[in-house]
Amino acid sequence: MSEGQDSFIWLNGALLPARLARIDPSDRGLALGDGLFETIRVAGGVPQQAQHHLARLRHGAEQLGIKIPLDDAEILAAFTQTLAANALNEAVLRLTLTRGVGPRGVAPPADARPTLLITAAAWVAPSPHVSAIICQSTRRNEFSPLAAIKSLNYLDNIIARREALLRGAEDAILLNTQGNAAEATAANLFLFKKGKWLTPPITDGALPGIFRARALAGNAAREARISRADLLAADGLCFGNALSVRSVSRLDGQEIKSNPAAITELRAILEAKD
Amino acid sequence: MSEGQDSFIWLNGALLPARLARIDPSDRGLALGDGLFETIRVAGGVPQQAQHHLARLRHGAEQLGIKIPLDDAEILAAFTQTLAANALNEAVLRLTLTRGVGPRGVAPPADARPTLLITAAAWVAPSPHVSAIICQSTRRNEFSPLAAIKSLNYLDNIIARREALLRGAEDAILLNTQGNAAEATAANLFLFKKGKWLTPPITDGALPGIFRARALAGNAAREARISRADLLAADGLCFGNALSVRSVSRLDGQEIKSNPAAITELRAILEAKD
């Protein structure tokens, strides 16, 4: 989303120079975080796992009672237009959906027209390693349906990331209210134990990540509760999302065992392109 | 914020017709809910409890590491300008602060320039009564610092409000993860028991409301844990915020005892104007 002067944004059906794209100040996405998003890897011009991202978006929109104004084919066409306008082949697309403009107040207006926004940024390969902390300043709320949808309410994750940076690390693991591991600030968590990758269950507050689902479907990982003690005793730790699988080198200042073969296996799932 | 064609918005130092005010699509307030807001009653042209609202905003901004670009006198002058431009004397002001525009990703950019937005809407007196439910679909996260700051992450409250509307009521009480009452979707909760108004403590997930602080300071209420059972056995129940004190007439379909004298006492605190 780092739009330069010459980048293009797709907004509610129109492709616009970024500097001309206008979000209404009374859009509920801004006023109340009333919306959802998806982040999609584009490889060789092809949005990866696009159907799964759109299915997750539709599920979240249904939970929130937001009607998506386009069908999947129309959204995919908008992706193609956005990539072409920005001359990007290796990229990251972000699709943002909000409930749209509304008057003051929490109650969703019955006649809201959703805002749909697509931005593209050039692909920059993330570093394969990351240092992390276990977040102390906030917890992920596994009691909220928001834990299972990719909503615009990202402040807990931002607080956790800020804590990581202040403590000299790059990312953070969020525990849930019971003290079990839920996820990293923008990725699912994978822990290697007794020769197997484990990842926290959705009921513990893990976002149902698209890469996570692929790893589970391919039997490269299975769901299991991960405690704080498990984290520090890990035989390997990874953060995985639609963009990358990153190996955690240090956690709370302590070195984490590296397990290159196991990480390669997990990464191969992400790198199998559409 | 129901801006008509002729209303004016104050945005980053400029007073603009609402239709020309533009939020950048990559503003982190929209992208990630990375910001705060305040809702302020204006009576006889005077923003009520403005210093307390600004103090709360500054506290929240400090927690999130957002630098507010104006001092209090400058913000108060912007309030006056916004009210004058909209020819409003009896009104509701909303002040929104975001971290500003940033590139893709959770990590806050070091050089972000905050967005400050002020909108005004005509005052409409809320109904003195409200029917409510105890929210079943989500819980308030008392483990997060967000419970104590007025952030843009309002989706749990929107989910609770939607549940209320679907169940034929007007508002909802959110329980925290332990099952104790925290607050309503846009107001603090006050429960009358043994001749005294009680309100949940901040540690149970209550937002530190400006009206709530006045009621506590004036000894009209005191903090106490409120269980689900307490709610249904109440001798009176109110939702109070900077705009109104509303008496809860029904909760989960059950009639709640009315206590007009006690409600009048609470309302008198709100109605004591600056």
Side-chain angles (χ1 to χ4, degrees):
Chain A
M1 279 195 315
S2 183
E3 288 84 19
Q5 284 301 303
D6 303 328
S7 74
F8 285 84
I9 285 181
W10 188 100
L11 178 60
N12 295 330
L15 205 54
L16 300 166
R19 69 183 184 284
L20 298 182
R22 169 188 180 268
I23 299 294
D24 191 306
S26 57
D27 193 292
R28 289 173 58 97
L30 176 78
L32 299 164
D34 193 1
L36 299 158
F37 73 104
E38 291 291 331
T39 300
I40 303 166
R41 170 80 164 102
V42 178
V46 181
Q48 301 294 303
Q49 304 287 314
Q51 299 295 348
H52 293 287
H53 284 286
L54 294 181
R56 182 170 66 179
L57 183 79
R58 288 189 189 280
H59 172 74
E62 198 162 325
Q63 295 253 307
L64 299 180
I66 299 176
K67 276 221 174 77
I68 301 180
L70 301 183
D71 65 26
D72 282 6
E74 291 170 318
I75 296 176
L76 293 173
F79 286 167
T80 304
Q81 283 177 44
T82 309
L83 291 167
N86 290 288
L88 287 172
N89 247 342
E90 300 297 320
V92 179
L93 283 168
R94 174 170 158 143
L95 172 60
T96 304
L97 171 74
T98 83
R99 201 181 301 273
V101 168
R104 208 184 63 69
V106 172
D111 58 350
R113 279 202 333 192
T115 299
L116 201 57
L117 169 71
I118 302 168
T119 55
W123 170 250
V124 180
S127 150
H129 302 284
V130 57
S131 63
I133 57 154
I134 300 174
C135 175
Q136 296 172 347
S137 51
T138 193
R139 294 286 181 99
R140 188 155 170 93
N141 182 7
E142 73 277 20
F143 292 93
S144 170
L146 297 183
I149 65 177
K150 202 165 170 65
S151 87
L152 299 177
N153 287 208
Y154 250 61
L155 261 177
D156 275 317
N157 303 50
I158 293 169
I159 286 169
R161 185 72 74 94
R162 286 191 74 232
E163 182 189 333
L165 300 173
L166 290 167
R167 288 172 58 193
E170 295 161 290
D171 205 345
I173 294 173
L174 284 144
L175 305 181
N176 66 18
T177 69
Q178 307 295 307
N180 294 308
E183 57 169 35
T185 66
N188 286 116
L189 175 68
F190 297 86
L191 177 136
F192 203 64
K193 187 176 174 177
K194 295 183 183 165
K196 189 83 185 164
W197 285 109
L198 308 178
T199 193
I202 303 300
T203 48
D204 274 357
L207 182 81
I210 304 301
F211 167 69
R212 178 184 179 279
R214 293 172 82 187
L216 292 173
N219 280 317
R222 64 178 176 82
E223 288 188 330
R225 175 157 291 169
I226 295 176
S227 72
R228 189 179 225 296
D230 289 333
L231 289 172
L232 293 164
D235 293 330
L237 209 51
C238 271
F239 295 163
N241 63 20
L243 305 184
S244 64
V245 173
R246 308 177 75 189
S247 171
V248 178
S249 51
R250 300 184 77 80
L251 184 64
D252 281 352
Q254 179 187 312
E255 202 168 319
I256 296 289
K257 278 183 211 158
S258 165
N259 211 314
I263 288 170
T264 298
E265 194 194 345
L266 214 48
R267 223 167 247 152
I269 290 178
L270 181 67
E271 284 164 9
K273 298 296 182 237
D274 289 11
Chain B
M1 278 194 318
S2 183
E3 288 84 19
Q5 284 301 305
D6 303 327
S7 73
F8 285 83
I9 286 181
W10 188 99
L11 178 60
N12 295 331
L15 205 55
L16 301 166
R19 68 183 184 286
L20 298 183
R22 169 188 181 268
I23 299 294
D24 191 306
S26 57
D27 193 292
R28 288 172 57 97
L30 176 79
L32 299 164
D34 193 1
L36 299 159
F37 74 105
E38 291 292 331
T39 300
I40 302 166
R41 170 80 165 101
V42 178
V46 181
Q48 301 294 303
Q49 304 287 313
Q51 300 295 348
H52 294 287
H53 284 285
L54 295 181
R56 182 170 66 180
L57 183 79
R58 287 190 190 280
H59 172 74
E62 198 161 325
Q63 295 254 307
L64 299 179
I66 299 177
K67 275 221 175 78
I68 301 179
L70 301 184
D71 65 26
D72 283 6
E74 291 169 318
I75 296 176
L76 293 173
F79 286 167
T80 304
Q81 283 177 44
T82 309
L83 291 167
N86 291 287
L88 288 171
N89 247 342
E90 299 298 319
V92 179
L93 284 168
R94 175 171 157 141
L95 172 61
T96 305
L97 171 74
T98 82
R99 200 181 301 272
V101 167
R104 208 184 63 71
V106 172
D111 58 349
R113 278 202 334 191
T115 298
L116 201 58
L117 169 70
I118 301 168
T119 56
W123 170 250
V124 180
S127 150
H129 302 285
V130 58
S131 63
I133 56 154
I134 301 174
C135 174
Q136 296 171 348
S137 50
T138 193
R139 294 286 181 98
R140 188 155 170 94
N141 182 7
E142 74 276 21
F143 292 93
S144 169
L146 297 183
I149 65 176
K150 202 165 171 65
S151 87
L152 299 177
N153 288 208
Y154 250 61
L155 261 177
D156 275 316
N157 303 50
I158 293 168
I159 287 169
R161 186 72 74 94
R162 286 191 74 233
E163 182 189 333
L165 300 173
L166 290 168
R167 288 172 58 192
E170 296 162 289
D171 206 344
I173 294 173
L174 285 144
L175 305 180
N176 66 18
T177 69
Q178 307 295 307
N180 294 309
E183 58 168 36
T185 65
N188 286 115
L189 175 70
F190 297 86
L191 177 136
F192 203 64
K193 189 177 174 178
K194 295 184 183 164
K196 189 82 185 165
W197 286 109
L198 308 178
T199 194
I202 303 301
T203 47
D204 274 358
L207 182 80
I210 304 300
F211 167 69
R212 178 184 179 279
R214 293 172 82 187
L216 292 173
N219 280 317
R222 63 180 176 81
E223 288 187 328
R225 175 158 290 171
I226 295 177
S227 72
R228 190 179 224 296
D230 290 332
L231 290 172
L232 292 163
D235 293 329
L237 209 51
C238 272
F239 295 163
N241 63 20
L243 305 184
S244 64
V245 173
R246 309 177 75 189
S247 169
V248 178
S249 51
R250 299 184 78 79
L251 184 64
D252 281 352
Q254 179 188 312
E255 203 167 320
I256 295 290
K257 278 183 212 156
S258 164
N259 212 313
I263 288 170
T264 299
E265 193 193 346
L266 214 48
R267 222 167 247 153
I269 290 178
L270 182 67
E271 285 165 8
K273 299 295 182 239
D274 289 11

